Amino acid sequence: MSNQPGIFSSAVNLDLGGASQPAPGDAPAGAAGDDAVHDVVIVGSGPAGYTAAIYTARANLNPVLLAGSVTAGGELMNTTEVENYPGFIDGIMGPDLMNNMQQQAERFGADIRYEDVVSVALEGEVKTVTIEDGTVLKARAVIISTGSEYRKLGLEDEERLSGHGVSWCATCDGFFFKGQNIAVIGGGDSAIEEATFLTKFADKVTLIVRRDEFRASEIMRQRALDDPKIEIRWNSRVTGINGENKVESLDLVDTVTGEPSQLAVTGLFVAIGSDPRVGLVKDQLELTAENTIAVDGRTSTTSLPGVFAAGDVVDPTYRQAITAAASGCVAAVDVEHYLAALDS
């Protein structure tokens, strides 16, 4: 899947703060070494992190964004066509959208590093962020935009057969299932998107839904019902994954009658939602009942001064690319106001 070049060719000022924008190519702060105290370090990318980087870079805050070594771009890197992001009449591939955002952030001077964060220390006026090679970055403000991660079934053989028929990413692995019968678990938009995409390769896709109806939007429901290559197993739950070296079949149980059955498939794609990535901060920041980072109202302000959060890691409800991007904007503006207050 090829990435498109950046689409933002004109320097139109879309922010509300009226901040002057650095010239493209200006060296980011901290280039002389990591002993510097950065204005802001952003942990995590995706729509929230990249948007926060765009806004803070244009506010001359010289952000450092730690995108992760393999998770850069977040969940949208694993999606196919994004049809509901404003401004793209014919839709845009998820990876292309993330590539555009990344290039736009870099255009304004954001320092994007493909490093994994192993720990953070968020109390005090200067926060520290430690990456995997032991480098410690110091910052006056930190934005947490770590997103969410795929939810697993918790079955005994799920991990053992991961990469041997069990997958959480249709765009990554669908090609390997040409001409096969496979299954997708889930009843939401993501599950139907995965199932629809997989019909390009598989002979048959069985969509396994726990209830007698979808949770998906109406347009996605109809898409699944109209696709001749998708068969739906309502009121069904997977209780086992069978196969010695690769997936051979699934054990199912009817959620209404309790009757067991078996489904012969060679692939299983799990699309049952995701959980917020709060492992780095769960012992330092206040969390909500939904295990997201708690923020104050519509702001990005967390329980610690100088620490802000954005994207799916704060959002248990909407979890859309557009709301994540908006959340990243909020975090950037909050950081700008916070630092201005410190300096006044």
Side-chain angles (χ1 to χ4, degrees), residues 43-86:
V43 180
S45 50
Y50 285 144
T51 301
I54 291 166
Y55 273 75
T56 51
R58 295 188 72 252
N60 289 319
L61 297 180
N62 304 302
V64 175
L65 186 150
L66 301 170
S69 60
V70 295
T71 58
E75 286 191 3
L76 279 178
M77 296 299 290
N78 297 324
T79 63
T80 52
E81 191 171 35
V82 179
E83 298 178 320
N84 57 1
Y85 199 91

mmCIF file of all heavy atoms in Angstrom, residues 43-86:
data_model
loop_
_atom_site.group_PDB
_atom_site.id
_atom_site.type_symbol
_atom_site.label_atom_id
_atom_site.label_comp_id
_atom_site.label_asym_id
_atom_site.label_seq_id
_atom_site.Cartn_x
_atom_site.Cartn_y
_atom_site.Cartn_z
ATOM 1 N N VAL A 43 3.961 11.646 23.754
ATOM 2 C CA VAL A 43 4.163 10.198 23.806
ATOM 3 C C VAL A 43 3.030 9.527 23.036
ATOM 4 O O VAL A 43 1.887 9.507 23.488
ATOM 5 C CB VAL A 43 4.209 9.681 25.259
ATOM 6 C CG1 VAL A 43 4.433 8.163 25.279
ATOM 7 C CG2 VAL A 43 5.309 10.394 26.045
ATOM 8 N N GLY A 44 3.341 9.001 21.852
ATOM 9 C CA GLY A 44 2.326 8.361 21.037
ATOM 10 C C GLY A 44 1.979 9.197 19.818
ATOM 11 O O GLY A 44 2.075 10.434 19.837
ATOM 12 N N SER A 45 1.598 8.521 18.745
ATOM 13 C CA SER A 45 1.291 9.234 17.509
ATOM 14 C C SER A 45 -0.189 9.079 17.175
ATOM 15 O O SER A 45 -1.045 9.351 18.012
ATOM 16 C CB SER A 45 2.188 8.721 16.376
ATOM 17 O OG SER A 45 2.167 7.306 16.295
ATOM 18 N N GLY A 46 -0.525 8.612 15.979
ATOM 19 C CA GLY A 46 -1.927 8.547 15.588
ATOM 20 C C GLY A 46 -2.485 9.940 15.354
ATOM 21 O O GLY A 46 -1.767 10.946 15.410
ATOM 22 N N PRO A 47 -3.777 10.051 15.089
ATOM 23 C CA PRO A 47 -4.374 11.366 14.807
ATOM 24 C C PRO A 47 -4.191 12.360 15.942
ATOM 25 O O PRO A 47 -3.951 13.544 15.704
ATOM 26 C CB PRO A 47 -5.867 11.042 14.603
ATOM 27 C CG PRO A 47 -5.903 9.598 14.246
ATOM 28 C CD PRO A 47 -4.767 8.959 14.971
ATOM 29 N N ALA A 48 -4.281 11.893 17.182
ATOM 30 C CA ALA A 48 -4.140 12.803 18.331
ATOM 31 C C ALA A 48 -2.706 13.305 18.453
ATOM 32 O O ALA A 48 -2.459 14.507 18.574
ATOM 33 C CB ALA A 48 -4.575 12.094 19.610
ATOM 34 N N GLY A 49 -1.753 12.387 18.448
ATOM 35 C CA GLY A 49 -0.363 12.783 18.615
ATOM 36 C C GLY A 49 0.140 13.655 17.482
ATOM 37 O O GLY A 49 0.810 14.672 17.714
ATOM 38 N N TYR A 50 -0.174 13.274 16.241
ATOM 39 C CA TYR A 50 0.290 14.062 15.105
ATOM 40 C C TYR A 50 -0.360 15.445 15.083
ATOM 41 O O TYR A 50 0.291 16.443 14.762
ATOM 42 C CB TYR A 50 0.003 13.336 13.794
ATOM 43 C CG TYR A 50 0.928 12.164 13.517
ATOM 44 C CD1 TYR A 50 0.451 11.016 12.897
ATOM 45 C CD2 TYR A 50 2.270 12.211 13.869
ATOM 46 C CE1 TYR A 50 1.294 9.937 12.637
ATOM 47 C CE2 TYR A 50 3.122 11.147 13.618
ATOM 48 C CZ TYR A 50 2.626 10.010 12.997
ATOM 49 O OH TYR A 50 3.453 8.946 12.740
ATOM 50 N N THR A 51 -1.648 15.522 15.419
ATOM 51 C CA THR A 51 -2.305 16.828 15.454
ATOM 52 C C THR A 51 -1.701 17.707 16.544
ATOM 53 O O THR A 51 -1.458 18.901 16.340
ATOM 54 C CB THR A 51 -3.819 16.677 15.666
ATOM 55 O OG1 THR A 51 -4.372 15.888 14.615
ATOM 56 C CG2 THR A 51 -4.513 18.034 15.686
ATOM 57 N N ALA A 52 -1.454 17.118 17.709
ATOM 58 C CA ALA A 52 -0.801 17.871 18.788
ATOM 59 C C ALA A 52 0.563 18.369 18.339
ATOM 60 O O ALA A 52 0.970 19.497 18.652
ATOM 61 C CB ALA A 52 -0.675 16.997 20.029
ATOM 62 N N ALA A 53 1.283 17.545 17.578
ATOM 63 C CA ALA A 53 2.599 17.951 17.082
ATOM 64 C C ALA A 53 2.488 19.106 16.094
ATOM 65 O O ALA A 53 3.298 20.042 16.110
ATOM 66 C CB ALA A 53 3.298 16.758 16.436
ATOM 67 N N ILE A 54 1.488 19.044 15.206
ATOM 68 C CA ILE A 54 1.279 20.126 14.238
ATOM 69 C C ILE A 54 1.028 21.446 14.963
ATOM 70 O O ILE A 54 1.654 22.478 14.672
ATOM 71 C CB ILE A 54 0.101 19.794 13.302
ATOM 72 C CG1 ILE A 54 0.458 18.632 12.367
ATOM 73 C CG2 ILE A 54 -0.304 21.018 12.478
ATOM 74 C CD1 ILE A 54 -0.734 18.024 11.641
ATOM 75 N N TYR A 55 0.118 21.429 15.926
ATOM 76 C CA TYR A 55 -0.263 22.668 16.617
ATOM 77 C C TYR A 55 0.854 23.192 17.507
ATOM 78 O O TYR A 55 1.111 24.399 17.553
ATOM 79 C CB TYR A 55 -1.543 22.447 17.421
ATOM 80 C CG TYR A 55 -2.807 22.669 16.623
ATOM 81 C CD1 TYR A 55 -3.238 21.733 15.693
ATOM 82 C CD2 TYR A 55 -3.565 23.816 16.785
ATOM 83 C CE1 TYR A 55 -4.389 21.921 14.953
ATOM 84 C CE2 TYR A 55 -4.719 24.034 16.046
ATOM 85 C CZ TYR A 55 -5.127 23.076 15.126
ATOM 86 O OH TYR A 55 -6.266 23.281 14.387
ATOM 87 N N THR A 56 1.527 22.326 18.235
ATOM 88 C CA THR A 56 2.603 22.807 19.112
ATOM 89 C C THR A 56 3.799 23.265 18.291
ATOM 90 O O THR A 56 4.494 24.217 18.668
ATOM 91 C CB THR A 56 3.026 21.718 20.119
ATOM 92 O OG1 THR A 56 3.305 20.485 19.430
ATOM 93 C CG2 THR A 56 1.948 21.482 21.160
ATOM 94 N N ALA A 57 4.051 22.629 17.150
ATOM 95 C CA ALA A 57 5.150 23.080 16.291
ATOM 96 C C ALA A 57 4.863 24.467 15.737
ATOM 97 O O ALA A 57 5.746 25.340 15.709
ATOM 98 C CB ALA A 57 5.374 22.083 15.158
ATOM 99 N N ARG A 58 3.619 24.695 15.321
ATOM 100 C CA ARG A 58 3.257 26.005 14.777
ATOM 101 C C ARG A 58 3.213 27.078 15.852
ATOM 102 O O ARG A 58 3.263 28.273 15.557
ATOM 103 C CB ARG A 58 1.912 25.923 14.055
ATOM 104 C CG ARG A 58 1.971 25.030 12.815
ATOM 105 C CD ARG A 58 0.695 25.105 11.991
ATOM 106 N NE ARG A 58 0.604 26.397 11.299
ATOM 107 C CZ ARG A 58 -0.230 27.363 11.615
ATOM 108 N NH1 ARG A 58 -1.056 27.222 12.636
ATOM 109 N NH2 ARG A 58 -0.260 28.486 10.934
ATOM 110 N N ALA A 59 3.144 26.649 17.116
ATOM 111 C CA ALA A 59 3.196 27.603 18.229
ATOM 112 C C ALA A 59 4.626 27.815 18.712
ATOM 113 O O ALA A 59 4.852 28.397 19.773
ATOM 114 C CB ALA A 59 2.325 27.098 19.383
ATOM 115 N N ASN A 60 5.600 27.322 17.924
ATOM 116 C CA ASN A 60 7.021 27.480 18.250
ATOM 117 C C ASN A 60 7.422 26.788 19.556
ATOM 118 O O ASN A 60 8.336 27.237 20.242
ATOM 119 C CB ASN A 60 7.411 28.968 18.314
ATOM 120 C CG ASN A 60 7.423 29.621 16.954
ATOM 121 O OD1 ASN A 60 7.880 29.028 15.979
ATOM 122 N ND2 ASN A 60 6.894 30.833 16.879
ATOM 123 N N LEU A 61 6.758 25.692 19.882
ATOM 124 C CA LEU A 61 7.093 24.933 21.094
ATOM 125 C C LEU A 61 8.042 23.774 20.800
ATOM 126 O O LEU A 61 8.422 23.045 21.712
ATOM 127 C CB LEU A 61 5.808 24.418 21.757
ATOM 128 C CG LEU A 61 4.847 25.500 22.255
ATOM 129 C CD1 LEU A 61 3.617 24.881 22.894
ATOM 130 C CD2 LEU A 61 5.552 26.436 23.241
ATOM 131 N N ASN A 62 8.403 23.594 19.538
ATOM 132 C CA ASN A 62 9.418 22.613 19.147
ATOM 133 C C ASN A 62 9.184 21.233 19.771
ATOM 134 O O ASN A 62 10.031 20.723 20.503
ATOM 135 C CB ASN A 62 10.815 23.124 19.529
ATOM 136 C CG ASN A 62 11.110 24.478 18.925
ATOM 137 O OD1 ASN A 62 11.076 24.646 17.714
ATOM 138 N ND2 ASN A 62 11.375 25.461 19.777
ATOM 139 N N PRO A 63 8.048 20.604 19.475
ATOM 140 C CA PRO A 63 7.716 19.339 20.137
ATOM 141 C C PRO A 63 8.615 18.185 19.694
ATOM 142 O O PRO A 63 9.062 18.126 18.540
ATOM 143 C CB PRO A 63 6.275 19.080 19.675
ATOM 144 C CG PRO A 63 6.213 19.755 18.326
ATOM 145 C CD PRO A 63 7.042 21.005 18.484
ATOM 146 N N VAL A 64 8.859 17.285 20.632
ATOM 147 C CA VAL A 64 9.452 15.987 20.324
ATOM 148 C C VAL A 64 8.329 14.970 20.430
ATOM 149 O O VAL A 64 7.662 14.874 21.465
ATOM 150 C CB VAL A 64 10.583 15.624 21.295
ATOM 151 C CG1 VAL A 64 11.089 14.212 21.012
ATOM 152 C CG2 VAL A 64 11.708 16.636 21.206
ATOM 153 N N LEU A 65 8.082 14.230 19.360
ATOM 154 C CA LEU A 65 7.037 13.212 19.363
ATOM 155 C C LEU A 65 7.683 11.836 19.299
ATOM 156 O O LEU A 65 8.436 11.534 18.363
ATOM 157 C CB LEU A 65 6.078 13.403 18.184
ATOM 158 C CG LEU A 65 4.841 12.481 18.164
ATOM 159 C CD1 LEU A 65 3.659 13.166 17.494
ATOM 160 C CD2 LEU A 65 5.121 11.164 17.444
ATOM 161 N N LEU A 66 7.404 11.009 20.292
ATOM 162 C CA LEU A 66 7.919 9.647 20.339
ATOM 163 C C LEU A 66 6.838 8.729 19.804
ATOM 164 O O LEU A 66 5.867 8.407 20.494
ATOM 165 C CB LEU A 66 8.316 9.291 21.773
ATOM 166 C CG LEU A 66 9.393 10.225 22.353
ATOM 167 C CD1 LEU A 66 9.573 9.983 23.847
ATOM 168 C CD2 LEU A 66 10.711 10.075 21.611
ATOM 169 N N ALA A 67 6.994 8.316 18.541
ATOM 170 C CA ALA A 67 5.920 7.631 17.824
ATOM 171 C C ALA A 67 5.868 6.134 18.071
ATOM 172 O O ALA A 67 4.874 5.487 17.757
ATOM 173 C CB ALA A 67 6.068 7.891 16.321
ATOM 174 N N GLY A 68 6.943 5.556 18.613
ATOM 175 C CA GLY A 68 7.010 4.113 18.781
ATOM 176 C C GLY A 68 7.733 3.476 17.613
ATOM 177 O O GLY A 68 7.681 3.970 16.483
ATOM 178 N N SER A 69 8.414 2.371 17.866
ATOM 179 C CA SER A 69 9.208 1.729 16.818
ATOM 180 C C SER A 69 8.352 0.937 15.840
ATOM 181 O O SER A 69 8.683 0.829 14.661
ATOM 182 C CB SER A 69 10.259 0.808 17.443
ATOM 183 O OG SER A 69 9.639 -0.206 18.219
ATOM 184 N N VAL A 70 7.225 0.384 16.318
ATOM 185 C CA VAL A 70 6.358 -0.398 15.422
ATOM 186 C C VAL A 70 4.915 0.071 15.458
ATOM 187 O O VAL A 70 4.096 -0.387 14.664
ATOM 188 C CB VAL A 70 6.411 -1.907 15.775
ATOM 189 C CG1 VAL A 70 7.788 -2.465 15.535
ATOM 190 C CG2 VAL A 70 5.960 -2.167 17.201
ATOM 191 N N THR A 71 4.587 0.997 16.361
ATOM 192 C CA THR A 71 3.192 1.430 16.504
ATOM 193 C C THR A 71 2.945 2.821 15.940
ATOM 194 O O THR A 71 1.879 3.385 16.147
ATOM 195 C CB THR A 71 2.778 1.418 17.988
ATOM 196 O OG1 THR A 71 3.667 2.278 18.729
ATOM 197 C CG2 THR A 71 2.839 0.011 18.558
ATOM 198 N N ALA A 72 3.916 3.390 15.237
ATOM 199 C CA ALA A 72 3.747 4.742 14.704
ATOM 200 C C ALA A 72 2.508 4.823 13.819
ATOM 201 O O ALA A 72 2.298 3.988 12.950
ATOM 202 C CB ALA A 72 4.979 5.147 13.913
ATOM 203 N N GLY A 73 1.699 5.842 14.059
ATOM 204 C CA GLY A 73 0.471 6.016 13.287
ATOM 205 C C GLY A 73 -0.752 5.427 13.943
ATOM 206 O O GLY A 73 -1.881 5.721 13.549
ATOM 207 N N GLY A 74 -0.554 4.567 14.940
ATOM 208 C CA GLY A 74 -1.683 4.013 15.683
ATOM 209 C C GLY A 74 -2.522 3.038 14.879
ATOM 210 O O GLY A 74 -2.079 2.461 13.879
ATOM 211 N N GLU A 75 -3.764 2.848 15.310
ATOM 212 C CA GLU A 75 -4.636 1.835 14.722
ATOM 213 C C GLU A 75 -4.978 2.102 13.261
ATOM 214 O O GLU A 75 -5.269 1.177 12.505
ATOM 215 C CB GLU A 75 -5.933 1.727 15.538
ATOM 216 C CG GLU A 75 -5.762 1.020 16.863
ATOM 217 C CD GLU A 75 -7.091 0.695 17.513
ATOM 218 O OE1 GLU A 75 -8.138 0.982 16.904
ATOM 219 O OE2 GLU A 75 -7.075 0.164 18.619
ATOM 220 N N LEU A 76 -4.933 3.367 12.857
ATOM 221 C CA LEU A 76 -5.270 3.669 11.461
ATOM 222 C C LEU A 76 -4.267 3.066 10.487
ATOM 223 O O LEU A 76 -4.573 2.909 9.304
ATOM 224 C CB LEU A 76 -5.373 5.172 11.244
ATOM 225 C CG LEU A 76 -6.695 5.814 11.672
ATOM 226 C CD1 LEU A 76 -6.657 7.309 11.448
ATOM 227 C CD2 LEU A 76 -7.869 5.205 10.919
ATOM 228 N N MET A 77 -3.095 2.704 10.969
ATOM 229 C CA MET A 77 -2.127 2.038 10.094
ATOM 230 C C MET A 77 -2.602 0.642 9.708
ATOM 231 O O MET A 77 -2.090 0.039 8.759
ATOM 232 C CB MET A 77 -0.763 1.948 10.787
ATOM 233 C CG MET A 77 -0.135 3.300 11.065
ATOM 234 S SD MET A 77 0.170 4.273 9.575
ATOM 235 C CE MET A 77 1.507 3.340 8.837
ATOM 236 N N ASN A 78 -3.573 0.124 10.442
ATOM 237 C CA ASN A 78 -4.080 -1.224 10.179
ATOM 238 C C ASN A 78 -5.467 -1.224 9.556
ATOM 239 O O ASN A 78 -6.128 -2.256 9.487
ATOM 240 C CB ASN A 78 -4.125 -2.031 11.484
ATOM 241 C CG ASN A 78 -2.757 -2.220 12.085
ATOM 242 O OD1 ASN A 78 -1.779 -2.385 11.371
ATOM 243 N ND2 ASN A 78 -2.670 -2.176 13.411
ATOM 244 N N THR A 79 -5.926 -0.057 9.108
ATOM 245 C CA THR A 79 -7.247 0.019 8.500
ATOM 246 C C THR A 79 -7.118 0.144 6.990
ATOM 247 O O THR A 79 -6.043 0.423 6.461
ATOM 248 C CB THR A 79 -8.046 1.231 9.014
ATOM 249 O OG1 THR A 79 -7.362 2.428 8.643
ATOM 250 C CG2 THR A 79 -8.198 1.181 10.522
ATOM 251 N N THR A 80 -8.237 -0.077 6.319
ATOM 252 C CA THR A 80 -8.261 0.092 4.868
ATOM 253 C C THR A 80 -8.743 1.510 4.572
ATOM 254 O O THR A 80 -8.172 2.466 5.050
ATOM 255 C CB THR A 80 -9.158 -0.972 4.225
ATOM 256 O OG1 THR A 80 -10.447 -0.968 4.868
ATOM 257 C CG2 THR A 80 -8.548 -2.351 4.401
ATOM 258 N N GLU A 81 -9.793 1.654 3.807
ATOM 259 C CA GLU A 81 -10.244 2.974 3.402
ATOM 260 C C GLU A 81 -11.017 3.662 4.515
ATOM 261 O O GLU A 81 -11.940 3.104 5.094
ATOM 262 C CB GLU A 81 -11.124 2.878 2.151
ATOM 263 C CG GLU A 81 -11.413 4.222 1.515
ATOM 264 C CD GLU A 81 -12.103 4.082 0.173
ATOM 265 O OE1 GLU A 81 -12.904 3.155 0.007
ATOM 266 O OE2 GLU A 81 -11.833 4.899 -0.709
ATOM 267 N N VAL A 82 -10.632 4.889 4.814
ATOM 268 C CA VAL A 82 -11.346 5.726 5.771
ATOM 269 C C VAL A 82 -12.290 6.619 4.978
ATOM 270 O O VAL A 82 -11.850 7.470 4.204
ATOM 271 C CB VAL A 82 -10.366 6.575 6.610
ATOM 272 C CG1 VAL A 82 -11.128 7.466 7.581
ATOM 273 C CG2 VAL A 82 -9.383 5.676 7.350
ATOM 274 N N GLU A 83 -13.592 6.407 5.134
ATOM 275 C CA GLU A 83 -14.575 7.096 4.313
ATOM 276 C C GLU A 83 -15.198 8.308 4.992
ATOM 277 O O GLU A 83 -15.871 9.108 4.333
ATOM 278 C CB GLU A 83 -15.694 6.126 3.922
ATOM 279 C CG GLU A 83 -15.231 4.951 3.086
ATOM 280 C CD GLU A 83 -16.364 3.998 2.762
ATOM 281 O OE1 GLU A 83 -17.217 3.739 3.654
ATOM 282 O OE2 GLU A 83 -16.405 3.509 1.628
ATOM 283 N N ASN A 84 -14.989 8.459 6.310
ATOM 284 C CA ASN A 84 -15.724 9.491 7.037
ATOM 285 C C ASN A 84 -14.831 10.571 7.631
ATOM 286 O O ASN A 84 -15.264 11.327 8.491
ATOM 287 C CB ASN A 84 -16.583 8.863 8.140
ATOM 288 C CG ASN A 84 -15.758 8.028 9.111
ATOM 289 O OD1 ASN A 84 -14.540 7.934 8.984
ATOM 290 N ND2 ASN A 84 -16.425 7.411 10.069
ATOM 291 N N TYR A 85 -13.571 10.657 7.169
ATOM 292 C CA TYR A 85 -12.716 11.754 7.632
ATOM 293 C C TYR A 85 -12.942 12.953 6.713
ATOM 294 O O TYR A 85 -12.762 12.839 5.497
ATOM 295 C CB TYR A 85 -11.243 11.346 7.624
ATOM 296 C CG TYR A 85 -10.398 12.239 8.498
ATOM 297 C CD1 TYR A 85 -10.187 11.925 9.832
ATOM 298 C CD2 TYR A 85 -9.848 13.417 7.996
ATOM 299 C CE1 TYR A 85 -9.428 12.741 10.649
ATOM 300 C CE2 TYR A 85 -9.099 14.251 8.801
ATOM 301 C CZ TYR A 85 -8.883 13.912 10.130
ATOM 302 O OH TYR A 85 -8.153 14.735 10.942
ATOM 303 N N PRO A 86 -13.366 14.080 7.260
ATOM 304 C CA PRO A 86 -13.730 15.227 6.422
ATOM 305 C C PRO A 86 -12.604 15.664 5.493
ATOM 306 O O PRO A 86 -11.426 15.642 5.868
ATOM 307 C CB PRO A 86 -14.048 16.315 7.453
ATOM 308 C CG PRO A 86 -14.456 15.569 8.674
ATOM 309 C CD PRO A 86 -13.603 14.346 8.691
#
